[in-house]
Amino acid sequence: VQLVESGGGLVPAGGSLRLSCAASRSLSSFNVMAWYRQAPGNKRELVARSPTGGVADVADSVKSRFTISRDNATNTVYLQMNSLKPEDTAVYYCNAESIVAYWGRGTQVTVSS
């Protein structure tokens, strides 16, 4: 299984980015699709998750700013990030869970103040 993230970059505070995660097989074959992030010196943390057939949810720290969505036709998961803050700066990873967990290589998001 391959997960390929894209869409990261440098953005000023208050700006927006949309991250994409292209999976090499059907999203419905996974129990959950999710986005995590890891800032330097910090542990990897869950940002948003989308259970297959379930209700998507986001972390409290990004609630009302980030939205996770999925396109089952193209096997792609998105993370729409609005009103970005410098503390959102991190490497963002796509995650897919079935019997095992799969990870992408990550995409860097940098928010300047």
Side-chain angles (χ1 to χ4, degrees):
V1 174
Q2 288 186 320
L3 302 173
V4 180
E5 301 100 334
S6 61
L10 173 64
V11 63
S16 297
L17 283 174
R18 188 177 78 157
L19 305 184
S20 300
C21 170
S24 59
R25 73 183 201 205
S26 172
L27 299 184
S28 62
S29 68
F30 303 108
N31 297 323
V32 180
M33 299 298 300
W35 286 96
Y36 286 73
R37 68 184 180 186
Q38 187 168 18
N42 290 358
K43 294 181 180 179
R44 191 171 295 188
E45 63 174 358
L46 176 66
V47 176
R49 63 193 301 270
S50 174
T52 297
V55 178
D57 198 9
V58 298
D60 287 343
S61 59
V62 303
K63 206 171 287 283
S64 79
R65 300 188 298 121
F66 290 14
T67 304
I68 186 171
S69 62
R70 52 201 293 168
D71 184 338
N72 292 326
T74 62
N75 298 332
T76 303
V77 180
Y78 300 98
L79 184 68
Q80 178 67 45
M81 306 185 295
N82 300 326
S83 301
L84 282 161
K85 304 176 180 180
E87 51 263 43
D88 294 319
T89 295
V91 178
Y92 284 71
Y93 296 92
C94 182
N95 165 265
E97 293 185 9
S98 56
I99 297 175
V100 298
Y102 302 94
W103 294 91
R105 292 189 174 184
T107 184
Q108 176 70 47
V109 171
T110 302
V111 184
S112 62
S113 57

